[in-house]
Each structure stands twice: as C-alpha cells, then as structure tokens.
Amino acid sequence: MSSTLSLPVANPLLTLTHSKPSLWIIELHNGVDNRLTHELINQGFMPALDIVEREWREQQRSALQNKKLEDGKGALIIVGKRDQDKFFSNGLDYANSSKDPNFFPLTFNPMLRRLLTYPIPTIAAINGHCYAGGFMLSLACDYRVMTDGSARNAWLCMNEVHFGAPWPLSFTAILSAKIGDHRLYRKVALEGHRFTAPEALQDGILDYIVKGKTADILAKAEEIADKFSGNATTGVWGLIRTNIYREALESIQRDIRAVTPQVDDAAARSRL
C-alpha cells in the first residue's frame, strides 16, 4: 500500500505519504524554511492529521474485528522538506500571526492539542533548524530524532526573548509538560539558548541524533515508528497521552492572551 496526497490542493504546502500500512509521513514544504502559517496549519496540517487518524482507525477497527492486532499498528512521522537538510521549521510567520488575536486560540493551540492527544505514536524527524513554533511542534510529538549537525549547522532554539515576543500560555504548558528541570526550562525560555543537537540530546530534549542527511534521519524515525507502532493497536495510546498531559491540555484550552512589552510598559508608567 502506498499513497501520496498534497495539501492544500490549490497550493501544496505539505505532502502526506502512506508508505506502508502502519506508517504515515507528513513532509512540510512551505517555502524555504517551513513557517507555520495560518494556511499551512488550517488547510494542510490539520486536515492531514484527520486523514491519517481516519485511515488508521479504519485499519484498527478491522484488525480488532478480525482478531489480527498486528494489522492495527500505526505511527506518524513529521519531517521538513526532504530535498534539503537545512530546516525542519523556522517557526511562525510572526509578522502575520501577531496581527491575528485568534491565531493561537483558533489555529496554533488546536494543533498542539491535537498532537498531544494523537492516537498513534508521533515522531519529529528534525532535518535542520528547529526554531520557536517549530520547536513547540516537535515537543508536542512523542519522539524527536535530529541531524547531528556535523555536515551542516542545525540548532534548536526558542528565541522569542531575543526579539521581544511574549510567550502564549500554550508554549509554557508544552514546555512544563515535556521539560521538568527548572534549569533547563530557564535555559530554553529565558536565555533563548541555541542548542546544538548533541547538547539537546544530552539535556533530554532529543531522543536520538543521526549523522547524515534527511534520508538517514527518516530511516531512524522509521525505526522508532516500527518499534512502537504496535502500541497503538489496542486504541489506548491517545487515551493515556490525554491523561499524561491533562494539565497542559487544560492550560492550552484556557486561552490566556499574552501581554506585550508595550502594554506592560504602559501599565508600569501609570503605576510609577
């Protein structure tokens, strides 16, 4: 079984490949650096997640009915554009997303919630730089495998502190759920540290690093998918994740709007 679909149809920004019965791959190819725009998320990524879940659930129901659990396996890999080794995602299109007060509550946060509760294992195949919103996308996945950066520089970084962008509550919730050490939390959020892949592996942000190009990173991601896709057969993977990340999911749903530095300074002026 093999199928390929490009979304959105009129202006493809990602390609969904069902390469074998238990594996789906979403390849992001929005421009040079895979900015996570309204269109990519709403018209590409979210529909692709629905398609994958629908196809997997049909297989899993049939597997249970026929008492062939092996046929109910499933896993999803998310990777940057395959024909380059420079970007997984460079984050949001900040100039445009910041103009929309509903970008986080109606576009970005639903994507994070969807990934945190997804019913099959998810693997981020990080084949280049992974910044800001792209970093959050990777953290929302179950596993992260990245290029080791030996052939070409590749960094993970939450750089909002450097250009004055406040964090939405969803970012804080994801970081709290995925990173427990307060020193690492500070390093990521307040210092905006630019992690090399070996550093991120040592600090527990990554699960694996791989020498080579995108094909090699994908091969390792597929190895992880093959190892854990069987854990989806009984249908409880997503249910367990929902409980594990319940506090994060509730925080994301609360939709507290971020206060900008300008608003904060105006309040300080009136107070002082």
Side-chain angles (χ1 to χ4, degrees):
M1 173 185 293
S2 181
S3 64
T4 301
L5 177 66
S6 295
L7 294 170
V9 175
N11 178 34
L13 301 174
L14 65 78
T15 298
L16 171 62
T17 305
H18 191 182
S19 54
K20 56 185 180 182
S22 63
L23 181 66
W24 291 260
I25 299 174
I26 292 177
E27 177 192 355
L28 306 174
H29 46 77
N30 182 19
V32 175
D33 57 356
N34 286 326
R35 297 282 177 169
L36 300 173
T37 62
H38 289 77
E39 186 178 15
L40 172 61
I41 295 171
N42 292 330
Q43 300 178 37
F45 198 78
M46 294 293 274
L49 292 181
D50 288 343
I51 291 167
V52 172
E53 180 173 355
R54 182 167 58 249
E55 292 179 350
W56 169 74
R57 286 192 181 278
E58 289 173 357
Q59 293 178 185
Q60 193 255 355
R61 291 186 196 111
S62 177
L64 289 177
Q65 184 177 1
N66 297 323
K67 298 182 179 180
K68 295 181 178 180
L69 287 183
E70 181 74 9
D71 295 339
K73 298 194 302 184
L76 170 65
I77 295 171
I78 302 166
V79 66
K81 194 174 181 181
R82 295 190 198 217
D83 64 0
Q84 54 84 46
D85 306 293
K86 187 174 182 181
F87 291 102
F88 173 73
S89 172
N90 211 10
L92 308 182
D93 176 4
Y94 185 70
N96 287 314
S97 63
S98 60
K99 296 175 184 176
D100 178 8
N102 288 314
F103 177 73
F104 283 103
L106 298 185
T107 297
F108 200 82
N109 293 354
M111 179 187 71
L112 294 179
R113 287 178 55 84
R114 189 85 165 90
L115 283 173
L116 281 180
T117 59
Y118 211 59
I120 60 177
T122 52
I123 303 104
I126 305 171
N127 57 330
H129 297 309
C130 185
Y131 271 71
F135 195 161
M136 285 293 148
L137 169 63
S138 73
L139 284 180
C141 293
D142 294 304
Y143 301 95
R144 282 157 295 284
V145 54
M146 185 175 179
T147 172
D148 68 356
S150 60
R152 188 174 196 167
N153 287 333
W155 295 298
L156 296 102
C157 182
M158 296 298 294
N159 60 336
E160 289 82 359
V161 71
H162 298 308
F163 65 89
W167 276 33
L169 183 59
S170 56
F171 282 19
T172 306
I174 292 286
L175 197 66
S176 297
K178 295 286 186 163
I179 296 176
D181 188 319
H182 70 92
R183 294 164 298 181
L184 182 55
Y185 198 123
R186 179 183 62 209
K187 192 174 182 179
V188 171
L190 298 178
E191 298 174 8
H193 183 74
R194 193 169 65 176
F195 291 85
T196 64
E199 282 181 310
L201 179 66
Q202 182 176 356
D203 283 338
I205 297 171
L206 298 174
D207 298 289
Y208 305 92
I209 59 175
V210 176
K211 185 179 179 64
K213 297 189 176 183
T214 295
D216 303 292
I217 300 155
L218 271 174
K220 184 62 179 181
E222 287 197 34
E223 180 184 319
I224 299 165
D226 288 340
K227 182 176 181 180
F228 296 109
S229 61
N231 287 4
T233 58
T234 59
V236 300
W237 183 275
L239 298 177
I240 293 172
R241 295 181 82 209
T242 299
N243 282 331
I244 291 173
Y245 302 122
R246 184 168 300 280
E247 290 185 7
L249 292 165
E250 291 173 353
S251 293
I252 293 170
Q253 187 65 30
R254 285 164 58 193
D255 182 28
I256 294 176
R257 306 301 173 95
V259 176
T260 66
Q262 292 75 23
V263 171
D264 180 60
D265 186 58
R269 282 175 180 271
S270 65
R271 184 178 72 250
L272 301 174

